[in-house]
Amino acid sequence: MNLTVTDVTLTPILVADPPLLNTQGVHQPYTPRLIVEVETADGITGIGETYGDTKYMELARPFARKLVGREVTDLNGLFAVADEVAVDRSRVSGQVDVGGLRGVQTADKLRLSVVSGFEVACLDALGKALGLPVHALLGGKVRDAVEYSAYLFYKWAAHPEGVRAEKDDWGAAVDPAGVVEQARRFKETYGFTSFKLKGGVFPPDEEIAAVRALAEAFPGHPLRLDPNGAWSVETSLRVARELGDVLEYLEDPTLGTAGMAEVAARTGVPLATNMCVTTFAEIKEAFTEDAVQVVLSDHHYWGGLRNTRQLAAICRAFGVGVSMHSNTHLGISLAAMTHVASTVADLRHACDSHYPWQSEDVLTERLTFEGGKVAVPDGPGLGVELDRTRLAELHRRWLDDDGSLRDRDDAAAMRIAEPGWVTPEVPRW
Ligand SMILES: O=C([O-])C(=O)C[C@H](O)[C@@H](O)C(=O)[O-]
Ligand SMILES: [Mg+2]
């Protein structure tokens, strides 16, 4: 068996994204992703997926060149390779990730976000070479299916008039009735039994009313609300008081570890985060201050599936829960998330996934949710197959773009509908 990497192919693509609202603005009609293919001397191809914005492409290209000649088994070596890739200072000085939705933006985090795509591709290739599923390479699954939560968004019925976009048939959701309707469809179609509402869009009282409406429509179902740090400490505490009886957790109600620690100290409602703990360096302060009770891991920016397991082990040591964050990912990443989640014994909260919002994919067969769960693939590698025709079509869209959609910018997308829109100052309420 020759596991030497002989070729690496990077394919940036643009995939359709509905007009989902968050505190920064609205999703663009197309969002960038990067598909990574790693080929071994024996002709085995492993696939991976990560963010496709320019700042990641800038690192992925030199990284890919350095990978050729290395072994797909050399997963620890990927971090040393990443350290050799220079990060442009302007990408990180004072910058936040996606306007802050994913926390700080450091050189290491950018590198890890690229490593993850390659790590998954190497694991896929290795699994295919050995005839073993990725979960077996991670030590083995402890469950046969992974539970996901319905990711509810306030949304418009369509992207602004005149903007090229794919149509979606979800309709608008801008009030409690619309949110409940959306949740009902999620439950009927995918069987989800827990619901997360992306908040920070409307004044807190409107979002409290939406969560109350969900609690009434789906009694006993775990509910979460995530305003992406849009609230002050006092507002966070008021929301916690008003919704404490129905919330599984509040996600990033306020910005920063100090604010989260203050909220956590004054409420019994658990706090989850994918904003104030997004790097290993941020763990010590947050855990010592008891600022968060659940860390929402994301294998993309934590540096891959093996780092995700390390994060889970640290959380276990501190008695902090772990689950998973998500944004606009495709099926390769859903498969990767499902493999790693299946190996984490302490996973006690349903994971987030945007997948139902992504009508386009690069797989020959989409992954499906049954009873809100994705069955853990047991075929070799990730257990999914790349559809090269579809990949080429989505890459063509990326090539044809004038550059305006190649970098996700929710505030810029919002300005098309509301020309005066600027990213709101926080706390917004
Ligand atoms: O805080 C979160 O859960 C996210 O940032 C998830 C996504 O990025 C979501 O907010 C989005 O895409 O609008
Ligand atoms: Mg979040």
Side-chain angles (χ1 to χ4, degrees):
M1 198 180 296
N2 189 341
L3 295 170
T4 310
V5 175
T6 49
D7 199 16
V8 180
T9 308
L10 301 180
T11 312
I13 57 175
L14 281 175
V15 290
D17 209 10
L20 308 179
L21 298 163
N22 59 39
T23 202
Q24 300 285 333
V26 63
H27 285 210
Q28 295 173 333
Y30 300 99
T31 196
R33 297 297 289 176
L34 170 63
I35 306 303
V36 175
E37 291 171 76
V38 167
E39 196 179 327
T40 67
D42 284 343
I44 290 174
T45 302
I47 56 176
E49 171 193 342
T50 189
Y51 307 115
D53 310 60
T54 312
K55 62 191 179 192
Y56 302 105
M57 292 302 300
E58 281 170 1
L59 305 187
R61 288 196 181 99
F63 192 102
R65 286 194 290 274
K66 287 173 188 289
L67 210 60
V68 174
R70 302 180 69 95
E71 302 292 302
V72 293
T73 49
D74 185 14
L75 300 169
N76 293 332
L78 294 177
F79 300 99
V81 174
D83 284 342
E84 291 171 15
V85 174
V87 174
D88 182 341
R89 281 261 201 92
S90 69
R91 293 287 184 208
V92 288
S93 57
Q95 302 277 333
V96 283
D97 207 348
V98 203
L101 292 179
R102 294 197 295 258
V104 292
Q105 183 163 293
T106 65
D108 267 352
K109 194 168 159 193
L110 283 177
R111 289 192 182 100
L112 291 178
S113 304
V114 170
V115 166
S116 59
F118 291 92
E119 187 232 33
V120 168
C122 286
L123 283 167
D124 185 40
L126 182 57
K128 284 171 175 161
L130 298 173
L132 292 172
V134 165
H135 64 76
L137 304 179
L138 298 172
K141 63 180 181 180
V142 294
R143 55 182 70 82
D144 291 322
V146 171
E147 192 179 355
Y148 289 87
S149 149
Y151 201 157
L152 311 178
F153 274 86
Y154 288 112
K155 76 179 282 290
W156 297 329
H159 284 284
E161 225 180 293
V163 170
R164 187 171 61 94
E166 310 305 309
K167 286 202 165 39
D168 77 78
D169 62 359
W170 285 84
V174 288
D175 54 21
V179 169
V180 168
E181 190 51 36
Q182 192 185 92
R184 215 178 286 289
R185 178 162 163 190
F186 262 108
K187 186 176 162 126
E188 275 165 17
T189 314
Y190 306 103
F192 295 121
T193 54
S194 73
F195 301 96
K196 158 172 166 171
L197 175 62
K198 172 62 41 166
V201 176
F202 295 112
D205 284 331
E206 292 182 39
E207 299 188 350
I208 289 170
V211 173
R212 277 272 156 230
L214 285 170
E216 265 167 45
F218 307 99
H221 290 49
L223 303 177
R224 307 135 179 207
L225 177 58
D226 174 15
N228 281 110
W231 303 332
S232 67
V233 167
E234 292 311 320
T235 301
S236 304
L237 288 166
R238 183 166 73 78
V239 177
R241 266 194 309 277
E242 299 213 20
L243 293 177
D245 57 324
V246 295
L247 285 180
E248 177 186 10
Y249 53 68
L250 252 188
E251 186 173 324
D252 288 307
T254 198
L255 209 59
T257 297
M260 289 283 280
E262 194 179 340
V263 176
R266 293 167 60 193
T267 177
V269 177
L271 303 187
T273 188
N274 61 269
M275 291 176 69
C276 73
V277 181
T278 62
T279 62
F280 285 101
E282 291 164 309
I283 289 177
K284 185 176 175 188
E285 185 191 354
F287 287 11
T288 317
E289 301 291 322
D290 208 8
V292 297
Q293 287 67 54
V294 182
V295 173
L296 303 173
S297 164
D298 183 317
H299 77 269
H300 301 95
Y301 57 70
W302 282 94
L305 307 187
R306 293 156 68 255
N307 271 16
T308 301
R309 287 185 44 78
Q310 286 186 17
L311 170 64
I314 296 169
C315 288
R316 182 170 65 240
F318 282 86
V320 170
V322 70
S323 187
M324 258 188 221
H325 162 265
S326 141
N327 69 6
T328 52
H329 62 84
L330 301 180
I332 299 172
S333 280
L334 182 61
M337 290 158 71
T338 303
H339 277 282
V340 68
S342 79
T343 70
V344 175
D346 307 281
L347 188 74
R348 306 203 200 289
H349 305 275
C351 300
D352 287 354
S353 176
H354 268 248
Y355 195 58
W357 292 115
Q358 258 51 70
S359 57
E360 299 179 331
D361 202 352
V362 294
L363 298 183
T364 51
E365 228 178 285
R366 275 182 79 88
L367 292 168
T368 54
F369 298 90
E370 304 285 340
K373 296 179 176 177
V374 174
V376 182
D378 284 322
L382 290 172
V384 295
E385 201 188 320
L386 197 57
D387 179 339
R388 289 178 188 286
T389 310
R390 199 66 191 120
L391 181 66
E393 286 165 1
L394 300 179
H395 180 52
R396 168 52 50 198
R397 188 189 277 151
W398 185 89
L399 288 171
D400 290 345
D401 179 61
D402 61 6
S404 52
L405 295 171
R406 290 184 185 179
D407 296 291
R408 177 175 168 181
D409 187 341
D410 297 358
M414 187 56 125
R415 271 193 290 282
I416 294 173
E418 282 188 41
W421 179 267
V422 283
T423 305
E425 298 265 330
V426 281
R428 195 170 168 189
W429 290 287

